[in-house]
Amino acid sequence: MTEPTRHTGPNDPAEATGPKTPFDTPDFEIPDFDPKRTRRAVRGGILRTSLVVLVTLVMIFLVATVGSEAFQRRGDRETRMLDVLGTALQIANPGYEVRPGEITAAPLSLSMEVGVSPRRVQGSFRTGTAFGDRGEELTQDFFGRVRRPPLGHATETPLTYALYNVGTGNQPKEHMRKVLARLPETMNALAVVEFTAPRTGSQLAAFGGQYRSCPDLVVYENRPRSTPITWGTGMLPSTSTMRSGACSDLIPHELANFRAWVGALREYDEPNLRRFGLDLARLRSAASGGKAYAYVDTLSTVGQLRRILDDPLVATVRVAEVAYDLER
């Protein structure tokens, strides 16, 4: 006898189809919750994440630091800092001797050490900071701009005041002749010799040679009651190959150096030059004219200055400092 046909429904286990999952196997078991293992796993995750973040930050810092310092030293930035800013500092402060030093780079700036000391009469007794010698730092920012130049206001010296008086008519010959008459003839003097009319480079060299006078700084601008533009021996950069002979013989060569320096300046140097109280128009006018209105002498004796004062080409001689040469 035939067995009757069995009809099954949709929920009949015999009709169940589809893929098996781990939960369908009798061997799968959900582990019991372990608080210690969970805490260790969380701490491990936090530690790994912290290490990744720390390493990333260190790498970013190193790249930023090394990369920024390399960026600060790119191209000719160090050379131009020495040539342009170092020389501008000297021109802006003729009452001081400025000695450029080491240039160092930071992530956001470039700095140059400078030693400054008041310009003094030759043969005077000096010893370090007792006579105003000090170290300064000249810094330009990431974009090459100078924010606070060394020296500046309230740093005048006796020589600075003597230069302020060029072109004013103050301390005329009659007055200075009496001053020099009271001083010993062999005493050395730091003085500013002013002419009645500006002299050319060759005329100034001839004048210095005539009186054995040494023009350490030449005043190339008539700017009464202000700091005039000056240029002197030892300023950077130097294009002259002449290093022998009387110092007065160097005047034409130093004028060529001055003109070469001004010729190397660019319009983008103007903001920095203004920080020093200078500007391109004044510098270019002084260099192209090349006329000496006065000069600074750190080596002449009082006797020599008396003879210079009697010259009809000389308007006056302003003495800023005197001293005996203790080595003679």
Side-chain angles (χ1 to χ4, degrees):
M1 189 173 193
T2 305
E3 184 176 346
T5 303
R6 180 183 177 188
H7 297 280
T8 60
N11 296 325
D12 194 320
E15 295 296 320
T17 60
K20 301 296 183 178
T21 67
F23 296 97
D24 296 326
T25 63
D27 295 334
F28 178 80
E29 293 183 5
I30 299 176
D32 295 333
F33 177 72
D34 188 343
K36 292 183 178 180
R37 293 182 62 184
T38 302
R39 284 195 293 271
R40 284 197 299 270
V42 171
R43 285 197 295 267
I46 293 174
L47 181 60
R48 284 192 296 273
T49 303
S50 300
L51 287 175
V52 171
V53 172
L54 180 61
V55 170
T56 302
L57 291 175
V58 169
M59 293 298 295
I60 292 174
F61 174 78
L62 290 176
V63 170
T65 302
V66 176
S68 296
E69 290 187 6
F71 180 81
Q72 292 300 320
R73 295 182 183 273
R74 72 190 186 280
D76 62 347
R77 282 169 63 88
E78 289 184 80
T79 302
R80 284 192 64 79
M81 185 176 197
L82 175 63
D83 289 351
V84 176
L85 301 185
T87 304
L89 179 63
Q90 295 178 77
I91 294 175
N93 298 277
Y96 287 83
E97 295 178 4
V98 179
R99 299 174 299 279
E102 182 182 2
I103 296 178
T104 57
L108 299 177
S109 63
L110 198 64
S111 299
M112 180 174 66
E113 296 178 356
V114 290
V116 296
S117 56
R119 195 179 294 273
R120 308 199 64 213
V121 59
Q122 294 292 323
S124 61
F125 182 72
R126 316 181 187 199
T127 174
T129 56
F131 285 87
D133 298 342
R134 66 190 192 191
E136 297 281 352
E137 190 174 70
L138 178 60
T139 301
Q140 64 181 28
D141 63 18
F142 187 83
F143 301 101
R145 293 290 177 257
V146 176
R147 296 305 178 192
R148 285 180 291 182
L151 299 174
H153 300 293
T155 56
E156 289 86 354
T157 68
L159 177 57
T160 306
Y161 287 115
L163 290 169
Y164 286 165
N165 280 319
V166 172
T168 63
N170 296 336
Q171 298 172 303
K173 272 190 173 184
E174 296 74 16
H175 172 76
M176 294 311 301
R177 190 172 283 113
K178 295 177 181 178
V179 171
L180 291 172
R182 295 196 297 266
L183 299 173
E185 187 174 273
T186 57
M187 180 175 280
N188 288 351
L190 170 64
V192 176
V193 178
E194 181 181 348
F195 294 109
T196 55
R199 316 300 293 166
T200 64
S202 58
Q203 288 173 333
L204 177 58
F207 182 90
Q210 177 183 350
Y211 291 101
R212 300 180 62 187
S213 182
C214 187
D216 293 295
L217 285 177
V218 179
V219 179
Y220 287 109
E221 184 184 38
N222 185 26
R223 199 163 182 248
R225 298 179 180 84
S226 300
T227 303
I229 291 174
T230 59
W231 186 271
T233 55
M235 285 190 176
L236 296 173
S238 176
T239 60
S240 175
T241 58
M242 183 174 181
R243 288 292 179 268
S244 61
C247 59
S248 59
D249 296 333
L250 289 172
I251 291 172
H253 300 270
E254 291 301 335
L255 178 56
N257 287 339
F258 179 36
R259 286 171 169 164
W261 180 76
V262 173
L265 298 176
R266 298 293 177 261
E267 298 300 327
Y268 56 76
D269 293 317
E270 179 79 14
N272 282 341
L273 292 173
R274 290 189 178 278
R275 290 286 183 181
F276 295 99
L278 304 170
D279 62 70
L280 277 172
R282 286 176 54 208
L283 289 166
R284 288 170 176 169
S285 175
S288 63
K291 296 297 182 65
Y293 293 86
Y295 69 89
V296 176
D297 189 338
T298 64
L299 195 59
S300 290
T301 63
V302 169
Q304 287 174 298
L305 293 179
R306 289 174 185 170
R307 292 190 292 275
I308 290 173
L309 188 62
D310 289 334
D311 193 299
L313 297 176
V314 174
T316 189
V317 174
R318 296 182 178 88
V319 177
E321 184 184 51
V322 292
Y324 278 114
D325 187 348
L326 301 179
E327 296 182 357
R328 287 187 178 179

